[in-house]
Amino acid sequence: MSAQNVTRPGASAATIIDSPDRAERLAEHLLDAQRSKPVVVITAAAGQTAPYIDVDQIIRDVSELADVYVLPTGSITLAMANRLPEKTQVYGGAGRVYPVHSAWQANPYAAPLRFALGPAQGPAATEKLIADALGAAHAAGLDIKGVGVTVVRVDGRVEALFPPSCAVVRTDDDRHATIWQDLLLPGLPIERAFQVGMRIDGLLDVDESRIDVSASLRKPGEALAGYAVGAVVLGRVVTVDSISACVELYPGARPEMSATEVTGNPLDRLTTLMSVGEVLLVRVTARGGHDGRGWHLSMLDVEDSEEPLASPNLLPGGPPWLVVAEAAPETVPRVVGSPAELVEPAVDPAPSHPESLPWNSPKGDKVTDEPPAQIDDGESLLRRIARLEGQVQQLRKSKRALQVELDGFREQSRELFAEVQRLGETAGRARTSLRVEKQKSQQLDKKLRAAKAAAPVSSPSEVLFTDPERQFSYDVEVEYAHRIPAAEKAIRPRRELRLGPEFLSSLKDIEGVDRRKVVAVTVEVITDLVATLESRGLHPLREGRGAAEHDVVRAGDGARCMRVALQRKTPSARRLHYWKIGEAIELSRVVKHDDMTP
């Protein structure tokens, strides 16, 4: 490749990068916070002279909205990769659109990589890059109408949808034009904003045959006017981490939900209960303002069987913008060909017979277009025209064959898209079922705990055995049974418990501490809960008071003495000393704060 700008009539330039130095400068441009336009970077696979991605088609479709660069895989892509954050590079025949915002630098999925590992994958990658570029241009606030373009207001009707992002409109003055969803709401499937037969009005870019309907997009305050506090509605997950999720009720209304508003189990991570793009049932707990802010949601006590309110439409006459299970692309009316074939003006066919030319009128009618008197090579004009007509017919056959191949690629793309949708819906239903079952389990646990609290059970204060050691062991067993939920007993089994020769006497002699508190802390020790409780202040007992002193270790069996708080912030706060012998626990003594004897 040579360093040059590739230009064609009516198209912008694609810059070809031919050296590592130029590639490094391109990386610096991508990282420039002052960059005002998206950048499309396309690579040729190793050993290939040109990309499998259709650079010409991308330039035609993104027009002046994005800069396009092409570079070969090898030392040049490596030079650029070395200057970019991890996982944001592009090479090996793939392409990537770098938006104006800097979010992609920390989150590579904000600028997805589009692969084209061979010619068959080129068309699909091309379409995805075009959609990415249009969406990035829209997010950057670029004027999609350009400079010096003729723009007129039109009304029309949607004739066909081409998932994932294109609609074809026939205007009332009998013109065809397209609407690109990625210029309206990037990333949203076209069938969630438009449906065949709906009326639209907007600004038609005559040169590009493209309609802008953004002025008709409903505002959040108007769209959500029918949502009342307590209503169950649909929301789409925009972002999610382990403790919070952003759920979109309508574009512009994106309240955040904390984990406590989703699940009653503090051990649940939200990333296991939902995923980005999933449509959820949520309950409105507070209404927001006209700007979409101030809404509050909850999923607690929302039953999977509850019927949600219908989501508002984005445009007048359009479909609900969210549904529980979105339809696969096969349900969208199919149109043979492509949006370009519907929008481009038809070309009059060449005459099928030479005799139909005006100067060969069989009636001898007078005509004004006279054929040349002679042809330099001696070939008659009619034969020459017939030969040219044959060439035109052959070109038309080739075009039809290419169109059939293109339709095949589009069909494969639709089938793959449908499969992805089906898998996403299945995963969403599975997550919803899991969430419902967890909520049911939590409710059953609450009922069980309430029932246990109401039932008469032996307490640590009841004397049921004459042997003090057996009584204490029984008290610990009862506390363990009630303290540790049934579902957690498998992961928090109790260790072997032994009572040292001085333990029971110290428990009896040391006043100011409740026996039940000692039993409760013992359960925390034998289940390792004590290590997770900061208030217990667990630490080894040391031979002196300095931090560098050695831990107290018992001669003979190598047991280590541990010290844990029974009380805090009280005079002579009590402590529990115990020996840790392998996996076994031996309670040593209950002592006052200043007593450092094991």
Side-chain angles (χ1 to χ4, degrees):
M1 291 186 179
S2 60
Q4 57 180 316
N5 286 344
V6 180
T7 59
R8 296 171 314 288
S12 302
T15 302
I16 296 181
I17 304 298
D18 68 341
S19 70
D21 181 61
R22 287 177 178 268
E24 291 176 353
R25 290 204 296 271
L26 173 57
E28 293 171 0
H29 176 58
L30 297 177
L31 297 171
D32 184 1
Q34 304 302 317
R35 177 164 55 88
S36 60
K37 292 173 66 175
V39 173
V40 185
V41 179
I42 303 167
T43 64
Q48 298 296 315
T49 58
Y52 297 123
I53 295 169
D54 191 338
V55 179
D56 292 344
Q57 183 64 47
I58 290 176
I59 292 176
R60 283 194 297 270
D61 285 356
V62 304
S63 185
E64 300 299 325
L65 300 176
D67 296 326
V68 182
Y69 292 83
V70 180
L71 58 164
T73 293
S75 60
I76 295 177
T77 51
L78 181 61
M80 184 177 74
N82 289 336
R83 296 295 184 95
L84 294 177
E86 187 68 23
K87 296 183 180 180
T88 65
Q89 302 90 344
V90 57
Y91 46 82
R96 193 191 290 268
V97 174
Y98 294 88
V100 170
H101 62 72
S102 60
W104 61 269
Q105 297 177 31
N107 176 20
Y109 301 105
L113 198 62
R114 305 305 188 185
F115 293 96
L117 305 180
Q121 296 177 327
T126 300
E127 288 190 3
K128 290 177 182 177
L129 287 173
I130 291 170
D132 292 344
L134 292 175
H138 173 81
L142 298 182
D143 181 8
I144 65 171
K145 294 184 286 296
V147 179
V149 174
T150 302
V151 176
V152 296
R153 180 166 292 282
V154 295
D155 295 284
R157 185 181 69 86
V158 175
E159 275 201 341
L161 304 181
F162 287 86
S165 62
C166 181
V168 172
V169 174
R170 181 185 289 274
T171 64
D172 291 349
D173 57 359
D174 206 29
R175 285 187 281 196
H176 276 107
T178 57
I179 297 174
W180 287 94
Q181 170 71 344
D182 286 297
L183 290 176
L184 183 66
L185 290 169
L188 187 69
I190 189 73
E191 59 270 24
R192 297 274 52 87
F194 299 92
Q195 58 188 355
V196 172
M198 70 180 284
R199 298 284 302 173
I200 62 95
D201 65 88
L203 298 176
L204 170 64
D205 178 339
V206 176
D207 292 343
E208 297 290 337
S209 295
R210 187 168 55 208
I211 299 177
D212 176 9
V213 297
S214 57
S216 300
L217 193 64
R218 301 173 69 194
K219 299 296 187 293
E222 172 198 353
L224 301 177
Y227 281 9
V229 173
V232 174
V233 300
L234 298 179
R236 183 178 69 164
V237 180
V238 180
T239 61
V240 61
D241 55 33
S242 59
I243 61 173
S244 66
C246 180
V247 178
E248 190 172 42
L249 293 177
Y250 186 84
R254 293 183 167 187
E256 186 171 282
M257 298 173 62
S258 66
T260 57
E261 293 170 308
V262 177
T263 173
N265 187 348
L267 299 179
D268 278 343
R269 298 171 61 88
L270 294 192
T271 49
T272 66
L273 301 180
M274 60 183 67
S275 60
V276 172
E278 183 180 355
V279 177
L280 307 173
L281 271 66
V282 295
R283 193 180 303 279
V284 177
T285 56
R287 283 182 48 81
H290 292 290
D291 59 355
R293 299 179 181 178
W295 290 84
H296 291 277
L297 308 173
S298 173
M299 292 181 64
L300 298 176
D301 301 324
V302 175
E303 297 293 339
D304 195 38
S305 59
E306 290 192 64
E307 187 68 26
L309 296 180
S311 288
N313 48 16
L314 299 168
L315 298 161
W321 93 282
L322 288 181
V323 292
V324 175
E326 296 190 357
E330 284 81 357
T331 63
V332 178
R334 297 187 181 185
V335 178
V336 177
S338 65
E341 288 182 334
L342 292 178
V343 175
E344 292 176 356
V347 179
D348 292 334
S352 57
H353 298 287
E355 291 78 6
S356 64
L357 294 171
W359 54 80
N360 287 315
S361 170
K363 297 181 179 179
D365 296 336
K366 183 177 180 180
V367 294
T368 56
D369 296 322
E370 295 289 343
Q374 69 177 55
I375 300 176
D376 294 340
D377 62 359
E379 182 181 17
S380 71
L381 178 61
L382 295 181
R383 287 182 180 176
R384 192 172 188 182
I385 291 174
R387 180 166 52 84
L388 290 174
E389 182 185 2
Q391 293 174 356
V392 170
Q393 294 295 338
Q394 186 60 40
L395 289 174
R396 285 180 177 156
K397 290 180 181 179
S398 299
K399 178 184 177 182
R400 285 194 294 271
L402 290 173
Q403 187 61 58
V404 169
E405 185 177 4
L406 178 59
D407 289 342
F409 288 140
R410 291 185 186 278
E411 181 65 22
Q412 292 176 16
S413 175
R414 282 192 288 267
E415 291 174 354
L416 290 173
F417 183 82
E419 182 63 22
V420 170
Q421 289 290 93
R422 284 193 291 269
L423 291 175
E425 291 169 6
T426 300
R429 286 193 293 270
R431 281 189 291 270
T432 299
S433 298
L434 175 62
R435 187 164 53 250
V436 170
E437 291 304 319
K438 283 195 173 184
Q439 290 175 348
K440 290 180 180 178
S441 176
Q442 292 164 10
Q443 293 171 357
L444 290 174
D445 283 345
K446 289 180 182 178
K447 293 179 180 178
L448 180 60
R449 285 194 294 271
K452 286 181 177 179
V457 296
S458 299
S459 69
S461 62
E462 293 182 274
V463 177
L464 301 177
F465 301 94
T466 58
D467 181 359
E469 183 170 342
R470 187 174 181 188
Q471 176 68 42
F472 187 87
S473 298
Y474 172 79
D475 293 342
V476 170
E477 184 65 31
V478 172
E479 177 68 11
Y480 173 80
H482 287 275
R483 179 78 175 273
I484 307 301
E488 295 183 22
K489 283 186 169 64
I491 59 175
R492 288 205 179 276
R494 52 172 297 172
R495 296 186 177 193
E496 177 186 356
L497 177 64
R498 307 171 189 169
L499 303 185
E502 298 181 56
F503 173 73
L504 290 174
S505 60
S506 70
L507 177 59
K508 181 179 179 181
D509 296 337
I510 297 293
E511 298 178 350
V513 60
D514 193 329
R515 173 190 173 93
R516 288 174 296 183
K517 183 63 171 288
V518 177
V519 171
V521 174
T522 299
V523 170
E524 293 170 1
V525 169
I526 64 175
T527 59
D528 273 343
L529 268 175
V530 68
T532 67
L533 302 175
E534 187 176 337
S535 61
R536 293 287 170 248
L538 174 67
H539 65 277
L541 184 66
R542 298 186 177 91
E543 294 176 349
R545 293 186 178 273
E549 296 290 341
H550 295 293
D551 297 345
V552 174
V553 177
R554 189 165 61 187
D557 60 0
R560 186 180 303 275
C561 189
M562 306 298 292
R563 179 178 170 94
V564 62
L566 294 171
Q567 299 170 331
R568 296 180 72 87
K569 298 182 180 179
T570 62
S572 300
R574 276 50 172 178
R575 298 290 186 265
L576 173 65
H577 289 179
Y578 66 90
W579 298 97
K580 190 174 181 181
I581 317 166
E583 292 299 315
I585 299 296
E586 180 183 322
L587 300 183
S588 178
R589 295 194 311 136
V590 176
V591 301
K592 292 184 178 180
H593 179 273
D594 295 327
D595 188 345
M596 296 298 170
T597 304

